[in-house]
Amino acid sequence: MALTSPVKEHPYNHLIDTLKDGKIKFFNPHKLNDPRYDKLPLSIRVLLEAAIRSCDGFYTKEEDIQNILDWQQQQNKAEVPFSPARVLLQDFTGIPAMVDLAAMRDAVAKHGVDPSLVNPKCPTDLIVDHSLQIDYNKCAIQNAPNPGGGDSPSQSQGSSRSAPTRPPSRGGSQCGGQRGSCSKAACSDSAASPGRPSASVQQIENTPLLCPFHLKPVSETETAVKNQEMELIRNKERLQFFKWCSKAFKNVNVVPPDVGAVHQVNLEYLSRVVQVHDGFIYPDSVVGTDSHTTMINGLGILGWGVGGIESEAVMLGQPVSLTLPQVVGCKLVGSINPLTTSIDIVLGITKHLRQAGISGKFVEFFGPGVSQLSAPDRTTIANMCPEYNATVSFFPVDQVTLKHFKKTNFAQEKLELLESYMKAVKLFRSYEDNSEDPEYSEVIEIDLSSMVPHVSGPKRPQDRVAVSSMKQDFQSCLDEKVGFKGFHIAKEKQETRVPFLHCGQEYQLAHGSVVIAAVISCTNNCNPSVMLTAGLLAKKAVEAGLVVKPYIRTSLAPGSGMVTHYLNTSGVLPYLSQLGFEVIGYGCATCVGNTAPLPEAVVDAIKQGDLVACGVLSGNRHFEGRLCDCVRANYLASPPLVVAYAIAGTVGIDFEKEPLGFTSEGKEVYLRDIWPSREEVQQTEEDKVISSMFRDLRGRMEKGNMFWNNIECPESVVFPWDHKSTYIRSPSFFSKLSKEVHPPQSIENAHALLFLGDKVTTDHISPAGSIARVSAAAKYLLSKRLTPREFNSYGARRGNDAVMTRGTFASIKLQNRFIGKAGPKTLHIPSNQTLDVFEAADRYQRDGIPLIILAGKDYGSGNSRDWVAKGPYLLGVRAVIAESFEKLHKNQLVGMGIMPLQFLTGQNADSLELSGKERFSIILPESLSPRQQLTVKVSNAADSTRM
């Protein structure tokens, strides 16, 4: 909600205090003189301040302030409002929100109301970052055909320059020609002299980056430029719409593409810690439609992810309603091991907190160990809180936070104001002083010295594996039955090796072979120490003569230009490039399933041997099949470990006992030989991550880019919809808009559209990746005369309800008990036919039959997306009956008018002997309230079922 200047009638005017000789005002909760305030967790104090400031007697009442003050007694009981300072949208979830606002303007205009009155009331930032796809990587660019024909530039006799020299490799050869070829493992002209680096290695830092067509220096990597061009061409309609939004709506700021990922932009550019508006100062806070929104809590800014439906409500001035949360105090003690990265700490804390069962709670960090964590360390830890189902992981502001903002070019005057205000309202912490420790719902103590390097996988982020046990653990995964970890590979097939040709050279794939290695724009890139560790590791690996096999799909998608900047200025970017980790662009890529296809020879070999091939990535999402259909095992790892496993070429390696490779003299090279020391990394970070980087990045954000600046957009108040567009379409939600509010209706004789099990994620409900050629959405796009190359992704087409409705439950990993195997199919019960989910739902709707969904535990876990509720609604689903729901998704269903009904404790579909083929009737009373028991009548059951 946008801040309204306080007036005399404000019930808490007596709490107004001043700073800077009365020039800046603020509401000071400490002036309540209530001893309970000093005992509140600092995250709850932020909620209290927002409630006091926003108290209007309608959305926020004095009773709400008293409930927050009485947090110890009211936690997990009272519902309270929260009005954040701003809303954060990324383009995948932002575009449907903005499309809805544009459609609202149409709807109110039809009722004779001025459409320009429809605007976000709460300041909203929309970051265009989820459109990037990896169309080109280093291999494809360097080996592109010569556009002029004849000899390639490197072979031209008239050329005065030679092609860039590459480091030596063992047995590699350069190949050219078609896309998918690779020169990563190109041979050097001569072997390196014993005892010193090869000439090519010595030349790396002095060799300019050259255009592969003209052999002239270029300012940016060609792969990034080519991918950016494709992104802008492919998404022109969406970008025109976004630009119209930035001009047509008040309180909307659009950050153009190729600036950075949403969470990076939020951290580096949008974060304020405090906001100043109309002469009042107050804490910065945010709700966002990206799961990484929680990263901002590492800077002492309260924020969490919400669905698109909730974000639209906040944009229009409604507060977020939440049950006053329990707050778990996470006490950090002990000293960090020099070899432990922040990712190891993140995954260690994730394991502890997941085991503690803190779903839906706030986590607040305290204790002497917190001071050892840098601001980037804290944001990395805070980013992972959705993985252990906490709402936020909050690090209150301290001196480390202030030092971070001093680096990022906060003016000294602003820093002084920030510190004065935070101390005045007691939101500033000294972690060494335990007298400042508030009271928590419970306390969990974690010893940082116990953290050792881990990865997570092969299917879920919570399944952590110590790197020292990785080889043994992967072997056990092959043995175990198919499940959350197992693949059930027969003993006699576990040693299968499949030879194949790539670039004219023979390679072999086996179980555990790495085929995707991605350092991507999630989780880690905000942390310079982790990325610099990867770069320094790459440098030492190249100097030792190690290479990455050319068929491995490697990529580096930094979260922002700042990452590229410090990798480049520290001198490690060329070494990452030599190993194939070249910058492919800025935005979410591999993380959301936008990986380019693997070479056909690799795919064929995987299928021929039924191999469990592996992907290794430095993100926080890796559900089975998300990276690539044929890659069954995927591991989350820190960026340096991604590089290490790429060099090894397999996850089936014991780094302590087995070498990564060999020098040109045949000497074994172990991981410990090339792993940079903590002191080396910290020194590089101090020398390179300086304020000028943030200053340059801010200039880039404010300036935009040439492509964006040249995009033309309509100047109209209402958006001129193009009925031929397959990207932007006016949705049908507001076609029946009226001034009267109709009560919810009972559901009679509904059929079950789907009969699902446990752990149905938002990826299952509304996929974000590529559109399969045989899907219902593909059939629609083909009918619009689009080719498969033009399909783009579901995320990119979220502004088109026709595509998204057809994409609902279109995941190839959907397990529907009606069918008995994975796939986007269901049983149309009246005809007993197996159909696409959309086709079945369409038949039911044409016949006037309402629909429900039966499900197990944790329905709707994963990333928040509005289409996970909008899609089922447009399919005709009126209720979801499950054993348990992810809280955010439950709220989304309610927002769309779909009833989330939960089986009574101890009951489920099996215990009630439901086949799913019954007819279901749900009778609604005149008044409804949360947790109210309803009766569900089943057509072939003797008694009704209560839920």
Side-chain angles (χ1 to χ4, degrees):
M1 176 184 291
L3 178 69
T4 301
S5 299
V7 293
K8 292 182 179 179
E9 291 76 17
H10 196 290
Y12 290 97
N13 265 355
H14 62 286
L15 300 184
I16 293 178
D17 214 335
T18 61
L19 293 169
K20 297 187 70 174
D21 299 326
K23 296 178 181 178
I24 301 292
K25 300 178 182 179
F26 66 98
F27 286 95
N28 191 349
H30 197 248
K31 291 181 69 174
L32 289 167
N33 296 319
D34 193 316
R36 293 175 295 179
Y37 181 73
D38 291 342
K39 297 179 181 180
L40 291 177
L42 276 70
S43 53
I44 300 299
R45 297 179 198 180
V46 175
L47 294 181
L48 178 64
E49 189 282 336
I52 291 172
R53 177 168 38 89
S54 303
C55 187
D56 57 5
F58 181 68
Y59 284 128
T60 305
K61 302 176 182 179
E62 293 185 56
E63 177 187 352
D64 297 318
I65 283 85
Q66 292 304 315
N67 282 337
I68 299 174
L69 265 175
D70 196 26
W71 169 79
Q72 283 287 2
Q73 302 301 319
Q74 295 297 327
Q75 57 182 295
N76 230 20
K77 297 178 183 177
E79 288 281 333
V80 296
F82 173 54
S83 298
R86 55 192 173 93
V87 174
L88 183 70
L89 305 175
Q90 44 95 332
D91 56 321
F92 270 17
T93 50
I95 193 165
M98 300 313 298
V99 165
D100 285 350
L101 286 177
M104 286 181 199
R105 284 195 167 186
D106 292 342
V108 300
K110 290 178 181 178
H111 287 271
V113 179
D114 181 2
S116 66
L117 296 177
V118 177
N119 290 290
K121 193 172 182 181
C122 183
T124 300
D125 296 295
L126 193 155
I127 292 84
V128 185
D129 76 322
H130 273 50
S131 306
L132 181 67
Q133 296 188 29
I134 307 174
D135 294 285
Y136 299 91
N137 65 358
K138 182 178 180 181
C139 310
I141 293 293
Q142 288 186 337
N143 294 283
N146 179 11
D151 293 334
S152 66
S154 62
Q155 296 170 327
S156 173
Q157 295 179 354
S159 175
S160 61
R161 303 186 58 145
S162 61
T165 309
R166 299 180 178 87
S169 65
R170 297 178 305 280
S173 62
Q174 183 173 350
C175 63
Q178 61 185 355
R179 189 187 187 288
S181 57
C182 188
S183 59
K184 259 190 309 203
C187 296
S188 62
D189 294 331
S190 59
S193 301
R196 60 177 294 185
S198 66
S200 60
V201 171
Q202 291 177 322
Q203 293 174 8
I204 288 177
E205 294 184 73
N206 299 319
T207 301
L209 185 64
L210 303 180
C211 168
F213 297 126
H214 308 102
L215 291 183
K216 294 181 180 179
V218 293
S219 58
E220 290 191 64
T221 54
E222 187 71 10
T223 47
V225 172
K226 297 294 286 185
N227 281 310
Q228 289 164 9
E229 288 177 355
M230 285 298 298
E231 174 187 4
L232 294 163
I233 291 170
R234 180 185 289 120
N235 295 284
K236 183 178 180 181
E237 287 183 50
R238 299 171 67 244
L239 297 178
Q240 286 177 327
F241 176 73
F242 283 139
K243 197 159 190 179
W244 174 82
C245 291
S246 69
K247 294 183 176 182
F249 291 110
K250 298 177 182 178
N251 275 338
V252 172
N253 170 50
V254 177
V255 177
D258 303 321
V259 168
V262 56
H263 38 290
Q264 286 295 119
V265 175
N266 192 24
L267 283 174
E268 299 166 15
Y269 183 65
L270 302 175
S271 59
R272 297 288 184 271
V273 182
V274 294
Q275 299 273 4
V276 179
H277 185 81
D278 285 348
F280 274 75
I281 187 171
Y282 52 96
D284 188 14
S285 56
V286 62
V287 292
T289 59
D290 187 88
S291 62
H292 302 286
T293 303
T294 53
M295 187 181 280
I296 204 69
N297 291 279
L299 298 179
I301 299 170
L302 188 65
W304 61 85
V306 296
I309 297 166
E310 293 90 343
S311 69
E312 288 183 46
V314 175
M315 290 165 65
L316 294 173
Q318 294 185 25
V320 176
S321 178
L322 72 156
T323 303
L324 201 57
Q326 292 179 290
V327 182
V328 177
C330 187
K331 186 175 184 179
L332 301 183
V333 298
S335 299
I336 300 173
N337 187 298
L339 295 180
T340 300
T341 69
S342 63
I343 303 307
D344 301 317
I345 298 172
V346 167
L347 296 178
I349 291 174
T350 298
K351 181 180 179 180
H352 278 87
L353 296 181
R354 182 175 285 278
Q355 292 174 342
I358 56 170
S359 179
K361 301 177 184 178
F362 280 17
V363 174
E364 187 167 300
F365 289 86
F366 74 109
V370 178
S371 299
Q372 300 176 59
L373 302 177
S374 66
D377 287 335
R378 298 176 188 185
T379 56
T380 309
I381 293 168
N383 177 70
M384 289 295 280
C385 82
E387 303 307 325
Y388 43 81
N389 293 324
T391 303
V392 300
S393 290
F394 190 71
F395 288 84
V397 174
D398 69 338
Q399 287 296 337
V400 172
T401 317
L402 295 183
K403 288 179 182 178
H404 170 77
F405 281 108
K406 190 173 184 178
K407 278 185 179 181
T408 60
N409 291 311
F410 265 46
Q412 185 62 34
E413 182 181 4
K414 183 173 182 179
L415 283 173
E416 291 173 359
L417 177 63
L418 185 161
E419 184 174 1
S420 298
Y421 170 71
M422 299 301 275
K423 287 182 176 178
V425 294
K426 294 200 170 184
L427 289 174
F428 192 90
R429 278 248 33 192
S430 173
Y431 288 105
E432 289 78 11
D433 185 357
N434 59 15
S435 67
E436 295 183 7
D437 292 350
E439 294 180 0
Y440 295 106
S441 306
E442 61 178 298
V443 172
I444 298 172
E445 183 172 299
I446 298 178
D447 186 354
L448 295 177
S449 64
S450 67
M451 305 298 177
V452 295
H454 282 78
V455 297
S456 287
K459 300 181 182 182
R460 303 187 303 174
Q462 64 263 38
D463 296 325
R464 299 177 68 231
V465 184
V467 172
S468 58
S469 304
M470 180 64 166
K471 184 176 183 178
Q472 179 182 353
D473 187 82
F474 182 74
Q475 182 61 47
S476 68
C477 290
L478 295 180
D479 294 332
E480 289 182 18
K481 293 181 179 180
V482 175
F484 292 133
K485 289 201 69 169
F487 298 101
H488 201 209
I489 303 299
K491 285 286 186 183
E492 63 273 13
K493 294 184 178 181
Q494 291 183 9
E495 300 301 321
T496 299
R497 291 185 171 273
V498 181
F500 68 98
L501 288 176
H502 181 75
C503 299
Q505 184 168 341
E506 183 174 302
Y507 298 91
Q508 287 188 342
L509 287 183
H511 294 293
S513 291
V514 174
V515 294
I516 295 175
V519 178
I520 59 179
S521 58
C522 291
T523 307
N524 311 289
N525 297 356
C526 69
N527 195 318
S529 66
V530 179
M531 294 299 293
L532 288 172
T533 301
L536 292 169
L537 179 73
K539 180 178 184 292
K540 295 187 177 193
V542 171
E543 290 172 343
L546 302 181
V547 297
V548 174
K549 293 181 176 64
Y551 59 80
I552 297 176
R553 183 69 70 187
T554 51
S555 61
L556 168 59
S560 75
M562 188 199 75
V563 180
T564 305
H565 191 142
Y566 67 67
L567 290 177
N568 192 43
T569 56
S570 62
V572 299
L573 192 59
Y575 296 95
L576 285 164
S577 177
Q578 294 302 311
L579 294 180
F581 294 94
E582 187 170 70
V583 175
I584 56 90
Y586 301 95
C588 289
T590 308
C591 186
V592 292
N594 288 345
T595 304
L598 296 174
E600 288 187 14
V602 173
V603 175
D604 291 343
I606 293 172
K607 291 181 178 178
Q608 179 184 336
D610 190 26
L611 299 177
V612 180
C614 298
V616 187
L617 64 152
S618 61
N620 74 337
R621 294 283 181 179
H622 66 330
F623 297 115
E624 185 179 6
R626 188 172 191 176
L627 303 190
C628 182
D629 292 350
C630 62
V631 180
R632 287 189 275 173
N634 298 294
Y635 289 91
L636 303 181
S638 64
L641 284 176
V642 171
V643 176
Y645 278 113
I647 295 170
T650 179
V651 299
I653 182 173
D654 185 337
F655 286 131
E656 286 294 321
K657 300 177 181 178
E658 300 175 58
L660 284 175
F662 301 85
T663 65
S664 57
E665 293 83 19
K667 181 181 177 181
E668 294 179 337
V669 180
Y670 289 85
L671 180 60
R672 58 179 173 269
D673 299 327
I674 61 173
W675 190 276
S677 68
R678 190 174 182 84
E679 292 74 22
E680 183 180 3
V681 173
Q682 289 178 340
Q683 186 62 49
T684 305
E685 180 178 5
E686 290 173 5
D687 293 343
K688 305 303 178 184
V689 184
I690 55 177
S691 60
S692 63
M693 300 178 188
F694 289 88
R695 184 166 56 247
D696 292 344
L697 182 60
R698 286 169 185 259
R700 180 180 176 184
M701 291 179 180
E702 292 164 359
K703 182 179 178 182
N705 59 61
M706 179 183 66
F707 300 100
W708 172 260
N709 295 337
N710 290 336
I711 289 177
E712 296 180 356
C713 69
E715 300 290 338
S716 55
V717 175
V718 294
F719 186 71
W721 306 98
D722 180 359
H723 297 292
K724 295 180 181 179
S725 173
T726 56
Y727 277 102
I728 309 294
R729 198 174 101 141
S730 181
S732 59
F733 303 122
F734 306 104
S735 60
K736 298 180 181 179
L737 182 68
S738 65
K739 296 181 180 180
E740 296 78 24
V741 178
H742 300 289
Q745 302 296 311
S746 297
I747 302 171
E748 296 183 4
N749 295 318
H751 270 306
L753 177 64
L754 296 161
F755 191 2
L756 307 174
D758 298 339
K759 302 287 184 182
V760 175
T761 70
T762 52
D763 274 354
H764 292 121
I765 302 170
S766 183
S770 59
I771 298 173
R773 297 189 180 192
V774 296
S775 65
K779 294 174 185 176
Y780 168 80
L781 294 173
L782 288 171
S783 73
K784 299 296 182 180
R785 299 185 178 180
L786 270 65
T787 65
R789 284 179 61 88
E790 299 170 307
F791 284 177
N792 211 324
S793 65
Y794 283 113
R797 293 192 180 274
R798 284 184 182 172
N800 186 325
D801 60 305
V803 172
M804 296 309 297
T805 305
R806 288 165 172 80
T808 304
F809 297 110
S811 169
I812 61 171
K813 298 298 180 182
L814 182 71
Q815 294 282 352
N816 183 4
R817 292 173 64 175
F818 283 151
I819 304 302
K821 60 181 180 180
K825 301 285 185 180
T826 194
L827 180 68
H828 181 251
I829 296 172
S831 66
N832 203 35
Q833 287 182 286
T834 298
L835 303 172
D836 286 337
V837 174
F838 172 79
E839 293 176 1
D842 187 52
R843 282 199 192 182
Y844 283 124
Q845 290 199 72
R846 281 189 273 119
D847 294 336
I849 300 174
L851 297 171
I852 67 161
I853 291 172
L854 294 174
K857 299 174 183 176
D858 299 326
Y859 180 82
S861 59
N863 300 73
S864 62
R865 298 175 193 147
D866 55 350
W867 276 107
V868 297
K870 288 180 176 178
Y873 172 81
L874 291 178
L875 287 178
V877 175
R878 299 284 307 281
V880 178
I881 304 175
E883 289 185 67
S884 63
F885 292 86
E886 198 279 331
K887 183 178 180 181
L888 177 57
H889 182 57
K890 181 166 60 176
N891 294 340
Q892 292 171 328
L893 293 174
V894 171
M896 284 307 302
I898 298 176
M899 288 187 289
L901 302 181
Q902 190 165 319
F903 288 105
L904 297 183
T905 303
Q907 292 185 352
N908 56 35
D910 291 332
S911 68
L912 296 173
E913 299 182 353
L914 298 177
S915 68
K917 297 180 181 180
E918 300 86 356
R919 300 294 288 265
F920 299 84
S921 294
I922 305 171
I923 309 303
L924 299 184
E926 292 184 3
S927 61
L928 286 172
S929 60
R931 300 184 179 89
Q932 180 177 352
Q933 288 193 5
L934 299 178
T935 299
V936 179
K937 294 183 178 180
V938 182
S939 61
N940 63 348
D943 299 310
S944 301
T945 299
R946 297 185 65 82
M947 297 176 187

